[in-house]
Amino acid sequence: LDPDATGNQPNEADNPFFEVNKNFTYDKTDRGIFNLTVNYDPFDWLNFTVRAGADVYEQFGRTYFHPESNQARTIKGQIEDYTQKYKSYNGVFIATVKKNFGKFKTTWRAGVANDDWKRETFAKLGRQFKDSVTKDLSVATQLVTSREVGADTLTMKRLQGVFGEVVLNYNDIIYLTGTGRNDWTSTLPEQSPSFFYP
């Protein structure tokens, strides 16, 4: 069989026993998640709420094909290490006013929200192993990084919004609610980065 562009033999599968004992792939993730909510009532009719959160992780992964594996025999072995870093932060501030006027009860709410996230991925690929015992990149005589081939990835996004809500209640029988929100996002064109929805 002719190898594909990477030099691998895509149509030949390794013996399952060989696959289990000679090839391997794994990843390890260190992750932290944080959430905080604070409520403050300066008056019985006024409430302030703040919510904040963060999700941060770093993941390391490795894929190893033995030099005698059908997946990498023609290139005398292949090993790839990758690292992915992710950070996500979000926050919301809400002010709520509740006032009653006889049989009418009203709720007025306004807030702002912010979401930021960033993901980076880097990788190193090694081939032409010096031996079949070492299981890290030091065994490779040919080494290429994702930066060298332009395959590093960096993805960033920001979303900011303002919103409001009005609730009118007559004698707990008739309700009328109106809401609105406007968002500005980095994923839209700079000339028109915002959108409104009720």
Side-chain angles (χ1 to χ4, degrees):
L1 297 173
D2 292 329
D4 63 14
T6 64
N8 298 334
Q9 299 282 359
N11 297 321
E12 295 185 26
D14 285 317
N15 178 289
F17 182 81
F18 182 95
E19 184 77 31
V20 169
N21 291 281
K22 299 295 184 179
N23 298 334
F24 68 86
T25 181
Y26 75 89
D27 60 68
K28 175 186 175 185
T29 303
D30 295 317
R31 188 171 194 172
I33 298 175
F34 168 82
N35 289 291
L36 173 70
T37 300
V38 177
N39 282 294
Y40 175 56
D41 298 304
F43 306 102
D44 59 0
W45 52 269
L46 178 62
N47 170 265
F48 295 115
T49 300
V50 176
R51 298 189 186 100
D55 182 1
V56 180
Y57 72 77
E58 182 169 314
Q59 183 179 66
F60 170 78
R62 173 172 293 169
T63 301
Y64 175 90
F65 291 114
H66 190 276
E68 296 175 4
S69 167
N70 285 324
Q71 306 300 317
R73 187 177 64 239
T74 59
I75 52 176
K76 299 180 181 178
Q78 177 173 294
I79 185 170
E80 182 176 20
D81 287 353
Y82 77 88
T83 300
Q84 184 175 93
K85 298 179 180 180
Y86 177 82
K87 296 178 181 179
S88 173
Y89 303 102
N90 61 80
V92 178
F93 172 78
I94 302 171
T96 303
V97 174
K98 293 185 177 182
K99 281 287 190 178
N100 297 337
F101 304 94
K103 293 185 177 182
F104 284 95
K105 299 177 182 178
T106 65
T107 300
W108 308 79
R109 186 172 288 114
V112 295
N114 185 81
D115 290 287
D116 281 289
W117 64 265
K118 176 181 179 181
R119 178 182 287 115
E120 301 173 272
T121 304
F122 314 92
K124 291 182 180 179
L125 178 70
R127 294 174 177 161
Q128 300 284 339
F129 290 176
K130 292 177 282 189
D131 63 65
S132 59
V133 178
T134 309
K135 300 294 192 281
D136 60 47
L137 283 166
S138 66
V139 73
T141 58
Q142 292 181 0
L143 185 65
V144 61
T145 67
S146 56
R147 184 177 299 276
E148 291 175 285
V149 296
D152 279 0
T153 61
L154 170 61
T155 307
M156 301 174 69
K157 179 180 178 182
R158 171 171 289 172
L159 177 70
Q160 295 177 321
V162 294
F163 54 89
E165 178 185 43
V166 177
V167 180
L168 305 178
N169 167 5
Y170 176 72
N171 203 30
D172 293 330
I173 298 174
I174 300 173
Y175 293 84
L176 178 64
T177 301
T179 63
R181 176 167 175 145
N182 198 91
D183 282 342
W184 292 263
T185 175
S186 61
T187 57
L188 291 177
E190 291 184 9
Q191 302 87 339
S192 181
S194 71
F195 55 95
F196 174 83
Y197 48 98

